[in-house]
Amino acid sequence: MKRYEALADDIAHGIASGSLRPGERLPSVRETSASRGVSPSTVFQAYDLLEARGFVEARPRSGYFVRDRAGSQAEPALSHPIAREQEVEVSDLVFQVLGHARDRTLVPLGSAFPAASLFPLPKLALALGKAARQLDPWKTVEDLAPGSAALRRQVGLRYLAMGCHVDAQEIVVTNGAMEALNLCLEAVTRPGDLVAVESPTFYAALQALERRGLKAVEVATHPRTGVDVPSLAAVLGQHPVKACWLMPNFQNPLGSLMPDTAKHALIDLLAEHDVPLIEDDVYGELYFGTQKPRPAKAWDRKGLVLHCSSFSKTLAPGYRVGWTAAGRYAQSVARRKLMASLATSVPVQEGLAEYLQHGGYDRHLRQLRQALATQRQLVARAIARHFPEGTRVTQPEGGYFLWVELPDGVDALELHRLSLSQDVSLAPGHLFSADHRFANHVRINFGHPGDPRVEGAIKTVGTIARALARQPQDAASRRGTL
Amino acid sequence: MKRYEALADDIAHGIASGSLRPGERLPSVRETSASRGVSPSTVFQAYDLLEARGFVEARPRSGYFVRDRAGSQAEPALSHPIAREQEVEVSDLVFQVLGHARDRTLVPLGSAFPAASLFPLPKLALALGKAARQLDPWKTVEDLAPGSAALRRQVGLRYLAMGCHVDAQEIVVTNGAMEALNLCLEAVTRPGDLVAVESPTFYAALQALERRGLKAVEVATHPRTGVDVPSLAAVLGQHPVKACWLMPNFQNPLGSLMPDTAKHALIDLLAEHDVPLIEDDVYGELYFGTQKPRPAKAWDRKGLVLHCSSFSKTLAPGYRVGWTAAGRYAQSVARRKLMASLATSVPVQEGLAEYLQHGGYDRHLRQLRQALATQRQLVARAIARHFPEGTRVTQPEGGYFLWVELPDGVDALELHRLSLSQDVSLAPGHLFSADHRFANHVRINFGHPGDPRVEGAIKTVGTIARALARQPQDAASRRGTL
């Protein structure tokens, strides 16, 4: 860790612990330089980093101030879904809207992926080539599900480092987190069962439910603190929920992060009802704070949590390597993996194991987090500047999505259609709920720091949204032409 | 093609067309050398190759004779399954028996895989490394399902070369054939539906049916000519079959090859009933004859055939790249691929495309076919020598499995158990049927030409089988101790 990073972390701790309070002014650069015995430029870099991470804000000619987290731009409120059992049918809409993801002429505000340029692809290529050349042919049989021993060991070490007890034996390597999530869902449900999800929900979770013929019940979710555990308790009391599918860390699309106390309460609740949790944790490494948030699985003592993650968002997009630590369901998941696709590509598994051991994954992650945190500020500021009055935006502490609530009456599908005509993609809120609520919300991807078109694209979308906000009464009729 | 290969092909044509008849003696090496104007050593090599491919046999001090294909050792007969709708429950047995596949101390007669040493792994590693280093980051988004354009083009060219019209647009790249088959099954069935399969059936097909909650109806299948089309017609007339899952080329475990006329009749029958065919063709490239057998899809005019194959058995074991050309179901399969696992590893797709274009795939395949054909003779001879009287063995024209029918009363699970204690694995016949018939059959893998232990292992299994054949009345009681 560099000197300015250490200094920034130290100050962030002070803010988190309350010794520096919202609105308070940080010591001047000169004061801090003297008191800490570091150069002024180190202090400048540290303050910049703190600003990028959202801890402080610079006020012209006044210095840096600890940010009020409920700051100037309002956040969306806790969602209030109707707790009813719903058939799921979202796929057609999802495919229709997201088919644009591959068009590289579009500014990818609607994309599900961060920019591939953020990742150490050349270094990965070397690790992959080396592993492939040195591949013991026997591994093509040995690395079938549950997967490469070397890779599972590396993944196990990372659980250990975050204080989460996971037996390497319960890890099953998969073709990305998507396969892990599907196999876990298969292991804990039968067609027709009911699954509790957040509101809004990641659309791929809804698609997975639809694919398996499951019903969904949506649970109130706060844009900053995640699923509301008392609401979930009420749902579990009233409905025959067979499993939960949740994202406690940097939920897609909210970016919400459940506090540790809430995670603990969640696990206690599920243990009481003996309901398994499919924990989708693909964004957990992309935190902007000082410490990696632990998964809910860290509190699990009954083997009820099937923790799923991958390297697709943090290291190796397109390599398609994920895993699940599936607790008491590990053998069932491993068998389903054998039946579904036999194995994950063996040279790729070995190549990632090689990179994790020697490639500097944590150094890369630090750079990635900083790039995303900085870009979040840039995109959030652009939205504040260009979007219509009354817009609410989340302030996520990790990941690369903003969830934007537009004034009532602005139809997100209409906004999506008009933005596309200006070469900008968006993910309309309709995708994120079984009953297509969130019609005036959009998810905006801020994971493309290198793309110079982003700020202009935000302005374009904002201009269209302002126009729509002025004539909401026409939305329904225009929608008919989509 | 080398000179001796051309000569061997020419003679094989003569045999196939009937101008050289079973039992007839080939001209001596000296005669052929003179008449063809090639060296004696070229003739020797050609005759050796013909022997390896099973067209001729060498008789000591007499020369080479055209082989009587219904020769000295009898083949198993057409199967006679009871055409009833069955729930499928084979997985526990399959996992129990095949868990041994990874133990490298065992002689792998029960393995589903050929020896990894048969494949050009170093050359593949170079192609993979090169593709990964040159990877356009955008491809990590672009190569999502349906898959890499470069790889789909290469696969499309191979269809074209075998005279099979496939639009590159209908090709979906998958994580091995196993994922392709599962996604195709999902595209054409709903849980509870009935699927027609061969008898015996590849156990992974039964597992896929079980996983999706489907019922099976087994159809009479001939060990040389594959599924019996009249029997299938009767089944389609009497049962609400929603799909067929068949292996027209070198069926696992029979090694049967449907003649072109039968494939044509099959496709006509299915067109008449509008029933889709999931065609598992992973062994089609491993033919010992002179010409690649076409898939049944070559006769399909209605888009009813979902043709599935992979590189796992022919080029790149462990790379986990397969595909389907899914006809009218292509879009449905591509969407299911997106939902199931999003994409197949992008550098691996690009690496295989690179190898296919420049690596010499067809040269490798020629060597592979010859190695397997030679080994088939060696293993078949060892079985003839060591197995009990009354044993019947298939004479497959491709692939790497022999299907061995032991005398009545020899229990294959017992044989499997006793062989394991002697460090030899076997695939007992019980695995290959929903009702666990074929109790006196075993599948023997001859795909390990380099393994010096194979001949001794066959002798070991034969000795145990002889002992069991002498005391069949005890089989039932011994089985209780398994």
Side-chain angles (χ1 to χ4, degrees), chain A residues 102 145 182 186 211 318 346, chain B residues 102 145 182 186 211 318 339 346:
Chain A
R102 277 168 237 203
N182 274 288
E186 206 181 298
R211 180 170 170 236
V346 171
Chain B
R102 278 169 234 204
N182 274 288
E186 207 182 296
R211 179 170 171 237
M339 291 193 277
V346 172

Side-chain angles (χ1 to χ4, degrees), chain A residues 91-92 95-96 101-106 108 111 113-114 116-117 121-122 124-126 128-129 132-147 175-176 178-180 182-183 186 191 207-208 210-212 313 317-320 334-336 338-348 448, chain B residues 91-92 95-96 101-106 108 111 113-114 116-117 121-122 124-126 128-129 132-147 175-176 178-180 182-183 186 191 207-208 210-212 313 317-320 334-336 338-348 448:
Chain A
S91 270
D92 279 346
F95 288 122
Q96 184 191 322
R102 277 168 237 203
D103 184 347
R104 62 171 104 185
T105 65
L106 297 180
S111 171
F113 309 102
S117 58
L121 295 180
L124 280 169
L126 292 179
L128 179 57
R133 284 194 308 278
Q134 298 179 349
L135 193 68
D136 171 2
W138 186 259
K139 285 208 187 292
T140 59
V141 175
E142 209 167 56
D143 282 1
L144 298 183
N175 298 309
M178 192 53 66
E179 188 184 53
N182 274 288
L183 297 178
E186 206 181 298
Q207 286 183 300
E210 180 179 346
R211 180 170 170 236
R212 187 155 174 78
K313 268 90 177 184
Y319 276 55
R320 306 306 306 141
R335 287 185 165 196
R336 282 162 210 281
L338 274 171
M339 290 193 280
S341 61
L342 209 58
T344 297
S345 182
V346 171
V348 175
H448 292 74
Chain B
S91 272
D92 280 347
F95 288 122
Q96 183 190 323
R102 278 169 234 204
D103 183 347
R104 63 171 103 185
T105 66
L106 296 180
S111 171
F113 309 102
S117 57
L121 295 180
L124 281 170
L126 293 179
L128 179 58
R133 284 193 308 278
Q134 298 179 349
L135 193 68
D136 171 2
W138 187 258
K139 283 207 185 295
T140 59
V141 174
E142 209 168 56
D143 281 3
L144 299 183
N175 297 308
M178 191 56 65
E179 188 182 54
N182 274 288
L183 297 178
E186 207 182 296
Q207 288 183 298
E210 180 179 345
R211 179 170 171 237
R212 187 152 174 81
K313 268 87 177 184
Y319 276 54
R320 307 305 306 142
R335 287 184 164 195
R336 282 161 208 283
L338 274 171
M339 291 193 277
S341 61
L342 209 58
T344 297
S345 182
V346 172
V348 175
H448 292 75

Side-chain angles (χ1 to χ4, degrees), chain A residues 258-269 296 299:
Chain A
M258 291 179 78
D260 281 359
T261 48
K263 286 174 181 161
H264 197 153
L266 169 69
I267 295 300
D268 284 351
L269 175 67
W299 285 268

Side-chain angles (χ1 to χ4, degrees), chain A residues 340-395:
Chain A
S341 61
L342 209 58
T344 297
S345 182
V346 171
V348 175
Q349 290 189 75
E350 297 297 329
L352 278 181
E354 163 77 22
Y355 175 89
L356 290 174
Q357 210 177 346
H358 303 295
Y361 185 32
D362 286 301
R363 191 166 57 244
H364 153 70
L365 282 174
R366 280 197 296 275
Q367 291 166 355
L368 176 62
R369 285 177 202 124
Q370 189 168 341
L372 292 176
T374 305
Q375 184 73 357
R376 179 195 61 170
Q377 297 302 97
L378 184 148
V379 172
R381 272 192 225 114
I383 289 173
R385 196 170 309 133
H386 299 295
F387 273 46
E389 203 175 333
T391 296
R392 293 162 176 263
V393 188
T394 51
Q395 299 171 11

Side-chain angles (χ1 to χ4, degrees), chain A residues 185-206:
Chain A
L185 196 62
E186 206 181 298
V188 299
T189 64
R190 292 171 162 277
D193 282 352
L194 182 64
V195 177
V197 298
E198 289 134 341
S199 168
T201 317
F202 175 35
Y203 52 78
L206 294 173

Side-chain angles (χ1 to χ4, degrees), chain A residues 162-396:
Chain A
M162 67 169 114
C164 187
H165 176 77
V166 164
D167 188 336
Q169 293 306 309
E170 63 171 294
I171 296 171
V172 182
V173 180
T174 56
N175 298 309
M178 192 53 66
E179 188 184 53
L181 292 160
N182 274 288
L183 297 178
C184 289
L185 196 62
E186 206 181 298
V188 299
T189 64
R190 292 171 162 277
D193 282 352
L194 182 64
V195 177
V197 298
E198 289 134 341
S199 168
T201 317
F202 175 35
Y203 52 78
L206 294 173
Q207 286 183 300
L209 265 50
E210 180 179 346
R211 180 170 170 236
R212 187 155 174 78
L214 299 165
K215 283 178 290 186
V217 53
E218 301 183 5
V219 182
T221 305
H222 191 277
R224 201 182 313 166
T225 56
V227 75
D228 186 58
V229 178
S231 298
L232 179 60
V235 165
L236 293 183
Q238 287 157 24
H239 299 272
V241 170
K242 286 297 181 338
C244 295
W245 174 322
L246 303 173
M247 302 185 71
N249 294 332
F250 312 126
Q251 198 255 9
N252 178 353
L254 289 176
S256 54
L257 172 65
M258 291 179 78
D260 281 359
T261 48
K263 286 174 181 161
H264 197 153
L266 169 69
I267 295 300
D268 284 351
L269 175 67
L270 296 178
E272 182 191 322
H273 289 266
D274 210 42
V275 168
L277 169 64
I278 298 172
E279 181 175 21
D280 180 356
D281 193 20
V282 296
Y283 303 105
E285 293 279 12
L286 305 181
Y287 55 94
F288 306 151
T290 56
Q291 221 177 348
K292 176 166 165 48
R294 278 184 290 173
K297 186 174 176 74
W299 285 268
D300 180 28
R301 295 288 167 270
K302 292 183 71 178
L304 275 173
V305 178
L306 305 95
H307 182 257
C308 299
S309 191
S310 84
F311 297 108
S312 302
K313 268 90 177 184
T314 58
L315 174 64
Y319 276 55
R320 306 306 306 141
V321 176
W323 71 88
T324 176
R328 65 163 81 153
Y329 307 98
Q331 196 200 22
S332 168
V333 172
R335 287 185 165 196
R336 282 162 210 281
K337 166 68 181 171
L338 274 171
M339 290 193 280
S341 61
L342 209 58
T344 297
S345 182
V346 171
V348 175
Q349 290 189 75
E350 297 297 329
L352 278 181
E354 163 77 22
Y355 175 89
L356 290 174
Q357 210 177 346
H358 303 295
Y361 185 32
D362 286 301
R363 191 166 57 244
H364 153 70
L365 282 174
R366 280 197 296 275
Q367 291 166 355
L368 176 62
R369 285 177 202 124
Q370 189 168 341
L372 292 176
T374 305
Q375 184 73 357
R376 179 195 61 170
Q377 297 302 97
L378 184 148
V379 172
R381 272 192 225 114
I383 289 173
R385 196 170 309 133
H386 299 295
F387 273 46
E389 203 175 333
T391 296
R392 293 162 176 263
V393 188
T394 51
Q395 299 171 11

